[in-house]
Amino acid sequence: MGSATLIEKAENYLEYKAHKGIFAWLLSTDHKRIGLLYLIAMISFLWVGITLGFIMKLEMLTPDKTIVDAQTYNALFTLHGVIMIFLFIIPGIPAIFGNFFLPIQIGARDVAFPRLNLFSWYLYITGGLFAIASLFLQGGPIDTGWTFYVPYSIRTTTNVILPLLGAFILGFSSILTGLNFITTVHRLRAPGMTFFRLPLFVWALYATAWIQVVATPVVGITILLVVIERVLHIGIFDPALGGDPLLFQHLFWIYSHPAVYIMILPAMGVVSEIIPTFARRTIFGYKVIAFSSLAIALIGYFVWAHHMFTSGMSDTARMVFSLLTFLVAVPSGVKVFNWVATLYKGSIELRAPLIYVMMFIFLFSIGGLTGLVLGSLATDIHVTDTYFVVAHFHYVMFGGTAIILFAALHYWFPKMFGKMYNEKLAIAATPFIFVGFNLLYFTMFILGYLGMPRRYWSYLPEYQTLHIISTVGSWVLILGLIIMFANLIYALFKGKPAEANPWGGVTLEWTIPSPPPHENFDKIPNVTNGPYDFSHINETKDGKS
Amino acid sequence: MESLDATNITIEQEVKKEAKHISDPHQHKDAIGAKIGMWLFLFTELLLFGGLFLLYMAYRLQYTKDFIIAGQELNLILGTVNTIILLTSSLTMALSIAAIQRGKKSLSIFYLISTIGFALAFLVIKYFEWTAKFHHGIYPNAPELLSKPNGEIIFYAMYYSMTGLHALHVVIGAIILLFMLVFLIRNKITKGDYIKLENSGLYWHLVDLIWIFLFPLFYLIH
């Protein structure tokens, strides 16, 4: 009799404890718990990054010294970049939501290599600590910019080696996660879950995982060579010994441009999940969206040198890379049109996740279109290394990926924690974020166009008005973010219990209880239809109302 | 009756526990999955060296003459012996897997020990090769090396970083094979379940394969 109840009431993953106390988290190989471990770590790093950015903007209030000196400013923009890129944006969505939902969405009980998955998290934390440690050690924090360009990075006396090793370890973590996801998608799909029945989030993660596996090792070796250069002076990147710094840039961007797609593809996957759910209709052009992810992954590999148009390359090379850059914009455009087409004549329910998604479409489009300005040779020479570039990649990275990370947080929050957040407050945060964001970064487009160089600590007085507007924007934005996170944290403790399917979603994660049981599924589901088939849901809904 | 029921329940719970232990959803055996994972990992290893091969190509085009001069100073005999050693070790590795597939445990152990022996031999020769170079003042940042033309400095930079990274892989490979040896002896690798040994073998072949490219690039250029 006792056993009967044992079988029926499966413990949810938050209650199930294989180990005691804190070790229930630190030693858990459950993909859901690992996802939450990443979530906690990343939100912490995000706030460190936000604080650094906030101080930078304060410094920019006046043309000369406001609160920090020039050398501190160099360290600020470097660490802001390193933390936001390597510790937040690159691993962000795959590590948190990929870990949590990839196995559930394909009808599996876990990823292919659960222990390796936990190991990846430890690598991530180690890498993060390495990067942060440079702040407190002798020599002072790294001041090279997040790109670590040689020869400066082999000459500066600041702490370069630790953050570099940190980035190397993070790369390792990223590779192992990618490898894990690819194997999971190939081996653990539930019966009936064919490739063309995979949710588009899984497709995006799959394409991302390939980039992680294929691109990351190249930056790994490049970073190691800079470390070796600093320790042993072998000369590979040292022009004094015959080395060529330009080769560093090539190798660096061979990874770091595809890394841009590691950042944005999973976000696009989340958008493809949220839009059908709140438009109550199937996604427009499923296969095209799936293939455009792969196309981005592929073409994204061949555009790296557009970061180097002014570094010294032949005209032929520059024109080829410019052309390829235009090509890679096509699949992204395809996706945007498909999303908008899905909304068209949908039965739209304007909930918080969808509002974040719409904010994304607006901001990401600005980011993408200004990317074309930078991809054209003639205009690039005018605006390269100015605030225009800074504005562009913040529109893409923050307006694109981070906003979608917030959307995903709201969309899957009820599923992950079994609690509902306050919808009105969640929506109330969005105008602050949207207005603050545009004040902060759109002014940077103008500043850049007027000639304000990036990474400068002081500037000419005529730029001050725009800088002040931008700084005020940063305050509004941070206020919005505080409202958003406070609302979620409050819901974590005091939120009302969530239903299994609060949004009426149709992918597999909505068929199991909130929060999910330890084993995800009592019985592995048998999949018989595509991921966004709303015909049944709509029937029952009509029946009810 | 009641005590009987109680024992029944505890037995049931035991069985459940046992069953759970075996079919723990978060730990499962999947040889094909393990192999896919291993191949992907090997792919990343290739790309890790790929960055170095790219640099080598660029610098060799830039400093062709210096590369040829410097390349002729390497010890061709030691390089050749090491190539033969590594190729043979790949053979013994494959034979070790073939042996366990047919259930011949001691033969498999014998071949695996030979493989590890070859790995050590390779490292010993590499050690003598490098130290000989060090004695001639050819090591990074050495005054004698710095007095040479830039092209030769870069040649040795590539030589030390590529063969060094490769040697590191040989060390890692040997350590992995040592673990496999323990698993073989303790029957953790058997006729029915030898994926660990097979994956280690794949890694070892990769180490061999990379050397097959390094050898001509450094020792045979003229």
Side-chain angles (χ1 to χ4, degrees), chain A residues 232, chain B residues 74-75 78 82 122-140 156-168 211 219:
Chain A
L232 299 173
Chain B
L74 296 181
N75 192 327
L78 288 183
N82 255 350
F122 176 90
L123 288 171
V124 169
I125 291 175
K126 197 88 243 166
Y127 170 79
F128 283 116
E129 225 185 319
W130 274 35
T131 44
K133 280 271 167 292
F134 289 173
H135 283 306
H136 289 101
I138 296 178
Y139 54 90
Y156 283 108
M158 294 312 303
Y159 169 75
Y160 280 120
S161 45
M162 291 179 90
T163 58
L165 187 66
H166 177 261
L168 184 70
W211 179 257
Y219 293 81

Side-chain angles (χ1 to χ4, degrees), chain B:
Chain B
M1 274 311 272
E2 197 148 346
S3 68
L4 205 88
D5 258 352
T7 41
N8 252 343
I9 286 171
T10 46
I11 288 169
E12 253 182 72
Q13 280 171 346
E14 279 303 315
V15 170
K16 251 187 85 71
K17 239 185 182 170
E18 197 60 37
K20 203 161 193 175
H21 183 70
I22 294 165
S23 68
D24 183 345
H26 300 279
Q27 299 294 343
H28 63 109
K29 278 228 174 261
D30 175 9
I32 297 175
K35 233 180 196 174
I36 293 178
M38 192 64 201
W39 275 105
L40 287 170
F41 180 70
L42 295 183
F43 201 33
T44 68
E45 287 277 10
L46 272 185
L47 285 157
L48 188 77
F49 279 94
L52 286 167
F53 281 115
L54 269 179
L55 285 173
Y56 176 94
M57 189 177 75
Y59 284 133
R60 182 160 163 191
L61 284 174
Q62 195 178 344
Y63 299 115
T64 313
K65 272 187 194 153
D66 291 329
F67 265 49
I68 291 170
I69 294 167
Q72 275 156 2
E73 280 170 36
L74 296 181
N75 192 327
L76 184 58
I77 295 169
L78 288 183
T80 313
V81 171
N82 255 350
T83 309
I84 294 168
I85 286 177
L86 267 195
L87 279 173
T88 319
S89 77
S90 254
L91 175 68
T92 52
M93 185 70 233
L95 288 174
S96 169
I97 297 167
I100 198 68
Q101 279 173 334
R102 283 173 284 133
K104 295 180 178 166
K105 181 181 164 188
S106 41
L107 191 64
S108 177
I109 290 175
F110 167 75
Y111 281 129
L112 193 56
I113 291 175
S114 328
T115 314
I116 297 170
F118 285 128
L120 293 181
F122 176 90
L123 288 171
V124 169
I125 291 175
K126 197 88 243 166
Y127 170 79
F128 283 116
E129 225 185 319
W130 274 35
T131 44
K133 280 271 167 292
F134 289 173
H135 283 306
H136 289 101
I138 296 178
Y139 54 90
N141 217 19
E144 268 193 72
L145 180 62
L146 292 183
S147 68
K148 289 175 184 280
N150 278 350
E152 291 191 40
I153 299 175
I154 294 295
F155 176 85
Y156 283 108
M158 294 312 303
Y159 169 75
Y160 280 120
S161 45
M162 291 179 90
T163 58
L165 187 66
H166 177 261
L168 184 70
H169 278 75
V170 174
V171 172
I172 295 169
I175 293 171
I176 293 173
L177 293 183
L178 265 180
F179 272 98
M180 293 307 125
L181 186 62
V182 175
F183 288 151
L184 254 179
I185 292 169
R186 291 191 183 164
N187 287 327
K188 292 256 176 74
I189 295 173
T190 57
K191 189 183 176 186
D193 177 18
Y194 52 86
I195 183 69
K196 283 198 192 86
L197 188 66
E198 214 178 357
N199 273 346
S200 315
L202 283 175
Y203 185 81
W204 190 251
H205 294 320
L206 175 94
V207 172
D208 187 16
L209 184 74
I210 287 170
W211 179 257
I212 297 300
F213 283 93
L214 292 184
F215 177 62
L217 286 181
F218 287 109
Y219 293 81
L220 299 182
I221 49 173
H222 56 264

